[in-house]
Amino acid sequence: PLPARSEEERKPYFSPEPRARFEKHEYREILQKEVPALIGASEEAGLVLLCELLDKAIELSRYKDDESSDDYSYIWCRDISNRKDPRIYHLEELLAYAIRDAVLQLVQQEPSRMPSLIQLLEARRWSIYQRIVLFLLRESKNATPDLVASHLTNKALFEEHRLWREFSALLHDRFAALSPENRETILGWMKVGPDQHQEPNPQRLEV
């Protein structure tokens, strides 16, 4: 007889996939149509609701015994700035885009709330929220130089491979506006190279 397979070997090849009550294209249309009104009426409470939906979707997409802190968003949402590709393969991706647009809407309505919105997102567990923050700092005209500098000179963000796409884009756009001291700090990190314990960089950091 064949040897019994281990629990790891009996796992399905693909990870679990959460499903909405609607088809994905219908869910996307609902989010695109209704979220602006939701955010306009409920402001941060609406944003928190979307974040809770995304958290639930991420939890449902993981094996029960997966205790890692990785949300794997670099797989299911490769580009948080995507606005053109109509193909949507993951429910989590739809919700991430909805949160991205909700944050931009809130900042446009009241620019002074950007720091509190960033704090709200960064307090959450998954790296997708930090990716949205870095996108917001690059995309919004209301991002202050101090906010941008504090993120670009955060070594933990610099070394986090899950954030490389958004961090690189922000660095590319805002490096010249940094103070000489901050530019030297970042260039010093680049000269030293990545931490030996970090995973290989899938894309280069370019200034």
Side-chain angles (χ1 to χ4, degrees):
L2 295 174
R5 293 188 302 168
S6 67
E7 187 68 25
E8 186 68 25
E9 291 172 326
R10 288 199 297 269
K11 282 183 178 180
Y13 182 76
F14 296 104
S15 60
E17 182 178 354
R19 298 184 62 182
R21 296 177 183 273
F22 309 92
E23 294 297 325
K24 288 177 184 174
H25 71 277
E26 295 175 320
Y27 197 69
R28 176 175 55 190
E29 291 175 1
I30 292 171
L31 288 173
Q32 290 176 341
K33 181 179 179 180
E34 303 299 338
V35 164
L38 170 69
I39 297 301
S42 60
E43 300 184 339
E44 288 189 19
L47 176 62
V48 170
L49 173 62
L50 292 173
C51 291
E52 290 173 349
L53 289 173
L54 177 55
D55 288 346
K56 185 65 173 179
I58 293 173
E59 290 288 348
L60 290 174
S61 71
R62 299 158 63 84
Y63 294 116
K64 292 182 179 180
D65 59 352
D66 186 350
E67 298 180 354
S68 74
S69 60
D70 197 342
D71 62 7
Y72 308 105
S73 64
Y74 51 87
I75 296 174
W76 49 259
C77 184
R78 292 184 59 83
D79 184 4
I80 194 64
S81 67
N82 176 33
R83 296 183 183 278
K84 297 180 180 179
D85 190 347
R87 296 170 296 177
I88 298 294
Y89 300 105
H90 300 277
L91 178 63
E92 304 96 298
E93 185 180 9
L94 287 173
L95 289 166
Y97 293 151
I99 292 168
R100 173 201 67 190
D101 293 342
V103 173
L104 287 172
Q105 179 181 338
L106 287 170
V107 169
Q108 185 175 14
Q109 290 174 188
E110 190 177 333
S112 63
R113 74 193 331 162
M114 179 179 282
S116 66
L117 291 172
I118 288 176
Q119 185 176 16
L120 183 155
L121 293 175
E122 291 183 331
R124 306 196 76 86
R125 174 182 179 184
W126 305 112
S127 62
I128 185 63
Y129 296 110
Q130 187 66 68
R131 294 178 60 196
I132 292 172
V133 167
L134 294 172
F135 168 83
L136 174 66
L137 291 172
R138 180 190 179 206
E139 186 79 3
S140 176
K141 297 178 180 178
N142 299 302
T144 66
D146 287 346
L147 267 178
V148 173
S150 68
H151 283 75
L152 288 179
T153 56
N154 183 322
K155 194 174 184 182
L157 300 182
F158 174 85
E159 292 182 337
E160 176 52 70
H161 72 278
R162 300 174 186 88
L163 309 177
W164 277 328
R165 178 184 289 272
E166 290 75 28
F167 190 96
S168 298
L170 179 61
L171 183 63
H172 180 274
D173 285 4
R174 301 299 182 94
F175 182 80
L178 295 173
S179 69
E181 293 80 8
N182 286 337
R183 292 201 297 268
E184 283 299 317
T185 295
I186 296 170
L187 290 174
W189 294 341
M190 291 180 176
K191 289 176 183 177
V192 171
D195 189 313
Q196 292 183 353
H197 300 291
Q198 289 287 321
E199 297 183 29
N201 190 340
Q203 57 187 2
R204 294 171 54 197
L205 280 173
E206 297 182 351
V207 177

